[in-house]
Amino acid sequence: ESLSDSTIYMAYYTIAHYLQGEDNLSGDASKSPEKIDPKDLTPAVFDYIFRKGPLPEGCNIPVESLDKMKNEFRYWYPMTLRVSAKDLIPNHLT
């Protein structure tokens, strides 16, 4: 869907290099620069990174790694931003 392409993917790309690393289109977890297992990417982790949620309890990802990703996202998204083509606004953003 166009909204996902223009908004969600762009947010994910701000942290993808911490999760996947370079030249890792297959998603090989062993190539993760931060050694993050995809199974540990819970909704609470994404809430902490993207939504200013509380630090996830029982999380296996080091706080330092979570904070790197949170800071990276905040650098590129310092405010609320809607990214969409004009012709999609009536479909998705009203």
Side-chain angles (χ1 to χ4, degrees):
E1 174 174 278
S2 298
L3 182 62
S4 294
D5 288 351
S6 62
T7 305
I8 297 169
Y9 290 154
M10 287 173 45
Y12 173 76
Y13 291 151
T14 64
I15 65 167
H17 58 286
Y18 293 111
L19 303 174
Q20 293 177 232
E22 294 183 25
D23 300 321
N24 185 17
L25 297 178
S26 67
D28 184 351
S30 69
K31 294 182 180 180
S32 170
E34 298 292 319
K35 307 297 182 222
I36 295 172
D37 187 329
K39 291 180 223 150
D40 294 328
L41 295 170
T42 64
V45 167
F46 287 115
D47 284 349
Y48 180 76
I49 294 168
F50 295 132
R51 301 182 71 208
K52 299 182 183 179
L55 186 65
E57 291 185 30
C59 182
N60 293 325
I61 302 171
V63 174
E64 296 81 15
S65 296
L66 291 171
D67 285 343
K68 280 185 200 177
M69 291 185 283
K70 184 176 192 170
N71 291 335
E72 184 88 11
F73 176 70
R74 292 281 161 231
Y75 176 83
W76 292 107
Y77 283 82
M79 62 193 85
T80 301
L81 174 70
R82 287 185 174 180
V83 180
S84 191
K86 263 195 236 184
D87 57 327
L88 298 177
I89 290 174
N91 296 338
H92 300 293
L93 300 176
T94 56

